[in-house]
């Protein structure tokens, strides 16, 4: 699937309607859109032939680019909201400054000042105050006042920039700790959240509250959830929901409702409220399918698949888990996601083959994904650990098992699991080697896996049910 085909497949109904209205008088472009809508996998030669487009492939590429421009134009038009409109208006504000209509200028500046303050648009507010400064630059008192206000607003913008940088570069990915805790990584994230809290105390606005609550809850529901404080956690979730959904933040940071619903899902999963968990999960399903293919939402999409599979396996529904993975993840989709998250999706595909007792295929997928191990970090390292553990269960080759155990030890050292895991996995590895040499039965391995699941949260998608999933 090429870039245009992917863009067409991800259009919403509203976007398609507006696009068709825009291009329906352009015959060849409309035909291109309809043809690619019906046949997303079509190659360019066949496409040119079906369109009777005899002007050469270069001209077809030009036409495809123009259609993509129309799609982007439609998306931008539909994405215009209060925040976007204010930003566009302020971009043209200087024209009024140099006009002769001083009364209209001051009236407009005062109106935009109130709007920018209410929307916490500090960059735009800076422009408003600079225009005030230009307007009153011959008035020493007022010009000095606006220069002082400018510095204050600039400080707020710098703090907001720092908030976004910390959150998106270090805190957001801590949701990976839900799959396998890493004490060293969680401590580093907790330190970053403390910095966010300090900034929140200085700004004390909706934007800072949104980032602080999001970071605090993401870490808490990934690694440090305490059932004794579940009511307090639920109140924080409700506060986050209201802060986001009942304000301008839905325009400033669009589609974050998907991530918030994932936090609710974790909460209900961890508290054992199964009916509410499934209800929220249904809502997530509808939303993630709309944004499937956008890397911004890959983490939410992966979480949705993982926790669905986890729910199935916890209830012994391995066939459903396998079918669900097959339905949701294709080889084509794994090629669209980032290299780091590709490891995550390939791991689930390997789990599917393991459930189906296709051990060689499962192992092949795991080994193929290892070329992307250099993209792992302390937060995403869990998938490398689980990759190796699953491959140990896939094989009956003693030499390969020894090699995988060596890789496991290197990974745990590299990503600072060593102290936590040291010695605890030796019993499992010893049992596996004895099992393969015929000295011990599967029950001892199952017992070791169960102990490690309870103690370290590893093997979460692996069953110890001898009738369902077991060592090759």
């Amino acid at each position: 699937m090429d870039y245009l085909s992917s863009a067409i497949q991800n259009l919403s109904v509203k976007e398609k309607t507006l696009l068709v209205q825009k291009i329906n008088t352009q015959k060849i472009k409309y035909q291109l859109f309809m043809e690619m809508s019906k046949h997303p996998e079509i190659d360019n030669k066949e496409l040119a032939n079906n369109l009777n487009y005899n002007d050469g492939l270069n001209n077809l590429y030009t036409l495809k680019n123009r259609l993509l421009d129309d799609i982007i134009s439609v998306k931008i038009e539909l994405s215009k909201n209060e925040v976007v409109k204010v930003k566009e208006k302020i971009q043209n504000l200087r024209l009024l400054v140099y006009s002769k209509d001083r009364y209209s200028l001051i009236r407009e500046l005062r109106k935009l000042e109130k709007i920018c303050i209410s929307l916490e648009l500090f960059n735009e507010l800076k422009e408003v105050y600079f225009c005030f400064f230009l307007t009153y630059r011959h008035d020493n008192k007022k010009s000095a006042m606006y220069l002082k206000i400018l510095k204050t607003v600039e400080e707020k913008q710098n703090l907001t920039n720092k908030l976004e940088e910390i959150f998106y570069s270090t805190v957001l990915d801590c949701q990976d700790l839900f799959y396998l805790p890493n004490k060293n990584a969680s401590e580093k994230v907790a330190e970053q959240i403390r910095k966010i809290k300090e900034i929140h105390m200085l700004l004390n606005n909706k934007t800072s509250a949104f980032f602080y609550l999001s970071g605090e809850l993401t870490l808490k529901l990934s690694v440090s959830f305490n059932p004794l404080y579940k009511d307090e956690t639920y109140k924080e979730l409700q506060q986050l929901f209201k802060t986001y959904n009942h304000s301008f933040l839905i325009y400033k940071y669009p589609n974050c409702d998907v991530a918030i619903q994932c936090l609710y899902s974790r909460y209900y999963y961890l508290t054992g409220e199964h009916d509410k968990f499934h209800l929220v999960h249904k809502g997530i399903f509808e939303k993630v399918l709309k944004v499937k293919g956008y890397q911004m939402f890959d983490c939410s999409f992966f979480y949705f698949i993982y926790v669905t599979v986890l729910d199935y396996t916890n209830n012994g529904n391995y066939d459903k888990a396998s079918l669900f993975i097959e339905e949701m993840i294709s080889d084509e989709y794994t090629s669209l996601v980032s290299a780091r998250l590709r490891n995550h999706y390939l791991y689930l595909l390997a789990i599917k083959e393991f459930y189906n007792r296709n051990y060689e295929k499962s192992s092949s997928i795991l080994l193929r994904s290892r070329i992307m191990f250099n993209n792992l970090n302390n937060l995403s390292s869990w998938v490398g650990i689980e990759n190796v553990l699953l491959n140990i269960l896939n094989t009956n080759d003693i030499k390969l098992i020894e090699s995988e155990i060596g890789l496991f030890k290197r990974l745990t050292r590299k990503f600072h699991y060593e102290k936590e895991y040291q010695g605890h996995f030796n019993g499992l590895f010893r049992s596996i080697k004895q099992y393969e040499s015929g000295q011990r039965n599967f029950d001892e391995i199952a017992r070791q896996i169960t102990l490690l699941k309870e103690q370290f949260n590893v093997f979460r998608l692996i069953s110890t049910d001898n009738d369902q999933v077991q060592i090759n």
Side-chain angles (χ1 to χ4, degrees), residues 153-279:
V153 173
E154 189 171 7
E155 286 174 8
K156 288 184 177 181
Q157 182 60 52
N158 289 338
L159 287 171
T160 303
N161 291 343
K162 191 64 179 175
L163 263 183
E164 292 179 343
E165 179 191 334
I166 294 172
F167 183 82
Y168 288 113
S169 66
T170 61
V171 175
L172 182 60
D173 286 340
C174 83
Q175 55 195 300
D176 268 347
L177 296 172
F178 175 80
Y179 310 117
L180 182 63
N182 181 328
K183 187 178 179 182
N184 179 272
S186 61
E187 286 174 352
K188 289 182 178 178
V189 172
E191 177 59 33
Q192 296 303 313
I193 291 174
R194 282 192 285 273
K195 290 180 182 179
I196 289 178
K197 186 177 181 180
E198 289 171 6
I199 296 173
H200 172 49
M201 298 298 285
L202 293 170
L203 288 173
N204 194 28
N205 58 23
K206 288 183 179 178
T207 302
S208 62
F210 168 67
F211 280 112
Y212 172 62
L213 285 168
S214 296
E216 182 78 7
L217 285 165
T218 300
L219 182 62
K220 185 181 292 186
L221 293 170
S222 296
V223 73
S224 59
F225 178 71
N226 188 337
L228 295 175
Y229 300 102
K230 70 174 188 176
D231 291 342
E232 179 185 322
T233 302
Y234 185 73
K235 285 178 183 177
E236 289 176 339
L237 272 171
Q238 291 290 79
Q239 186 182 348
L240 174 62
F241 178 85
K242 290 175 184 177
T243 300
Y244 179 76
N245 286 283
H246 299 168
S247 73
F248 59 86
L249 293 171
I250 58 174
Y251 305 126
K252 199 172 181 181
Y253 305 104
N255 289 316
C256 288
D257 54 327
V258 178
I260 292 172
Q261 289 304 305
C262 286
L263 291 176
Y264 272 102
S265 169
R266 292 182 192 210
Y267 174 81
Y268 291 132
Y269 178 81
L270 292 168
T271 56
E273 298 177 62
H274 301 296
D275 290 341
K276 291 181 179 179
F277 166 78
H278 288 114
L279 184 63

Side-chain angles (χ1 to χ4, degrees), residues 334-345:
T334 61
S335 68
L336 295 175
V337 301
S338 65
R340 185 174 67 80
L341 274 168
R342 200 170 301 149
N343 277 305
H344 295 46
Y345 288 106

Side-chain angles (χ1 to χ4, degrees), residues 136-148:
Y136 291 110
R137 69 191 183 89
H138 297 299
D139 183 325
N140 289 338
K141 187 177 179 180
K142 285 190 176 182
S143 62
M145 178 187 73
Y146 283 116
L147 283 176
K148 187 177 180 181

Side-chain angles (χ1 to χ4, degrees), residues 168 172 254-256 291 293-300:
Y168 288 113
L172 182 60
N255 289 316
C256 288
V291 293
Y294 293 91
Q295 288 192 9
M296 190 68 183
F297 302 97
D298 278 344
C299 290
S300 296

Side-chain angles (χ1 to χ4, degrees), residues 18-182:
L18 191 59
L19 180 64
V20 168
Q21 290 173 358
K22 187 179 179 74
I23 66 172
N24 63 359
T25 58
Q26 304 170 60
K27 184 179 177 182
I28 190 68
K29 193 184 285 184
Y30 177 77
Q31 288 177 338
L32 172 64
F33 171 71
M34 296 305 294
E35 190 70 24
M36 294 195 73
S37 296
K38 293 175 185 175
H39 310 290
E41 304 295 337
I42 193 169
D43 63 42
N44 287 319
K45 286 185 179 179
E46 186 180 354
L47 181 61
N49 184 57
N50 290 355
L51 294 172
N52 295 316
Y53 203 69
N54 302 315
D55 295 336
L57 287 181
N58 285 339
N59 289 331
L60 177 63
Y61 298 146
T62 301
L63 182 65
K64 289 175 75 173
N65 281 327
R66 286 176 180 167
L67 178 57
L68 184 63
D69 288 340
D70 288 329
I71 290 173
I72 292 170
S73 173
V74 164
K75 285 181 175 290
I76 290 173
E77 185 63 33
L78 287 176
S79 69
K80 284 188 177 180
N81 53 56
E82 186 180 5
V83 170
V84 174
K85 289 174 182 176
V86 169
K87 288 185 175 185
E88 287 181 348
K89 205 168 190 178
I90 287 173
Q91 284 178 350
N92 300 312
L93 203 50
R94 296 280 180 105
L95 297 174
L96 275 178
V97 173
Y98 300 108
S99 73
K100 296 178 181 180
D101 192 350
R102 181 184 172 91
Y103 172 78
S104 296
L105 169 64
I106 294 173
R107 180 180 176 275
E108 186 66 14
L109 286 174
R110 285 174 179 163
K111 186 171 74 173
L112 287 171
E113 177 188 17
K114 289 180 181 178
I115 294 172
C116 288
I117 290 172
S118 68
L119 297 177
E120 297 173 11
L121 296 173
F122 300 121
N123 261 334
E124 288 68 30
L125 192 55
K126 277 172 58 182
E127 180 67 11
V128 170
Y129 284 131
F130 187 72
C131 288
F132 267 125
F133 164 73
L134 291 176
T135 305
Y136 291 110
R137 69 191 183 89
H138 297 299
D139 183 325
N140 289 338
K141 187 177 179 180
K142 285 190 176 182
S143 62
M145 178 187 73
Y146 283 116
L147 283 176
K148 187 177 180 181
I149 294 173
L150 264 171
K151 289 181 180 178
T152 303
V153 173
E154 189 171 7
E155 286 174 8
K156 288 184 177 181
Q157 182 60 52
N158 289 338
L159 287 171
T160 303
N161 291 343
K162 191 64 179 175
L163 263 183
E164 292 179 343
E165 179 191 334
I166 294 172
F167 183 82
Y168 288 113
S169 66
T170 61
V171 175
L172 182 60
D173 286 340
C174 83
Q175 55 195 300
D176 268 347
L177 296 172
F178 175 80
Y179 310 117
L180 182 63
N182 181 328

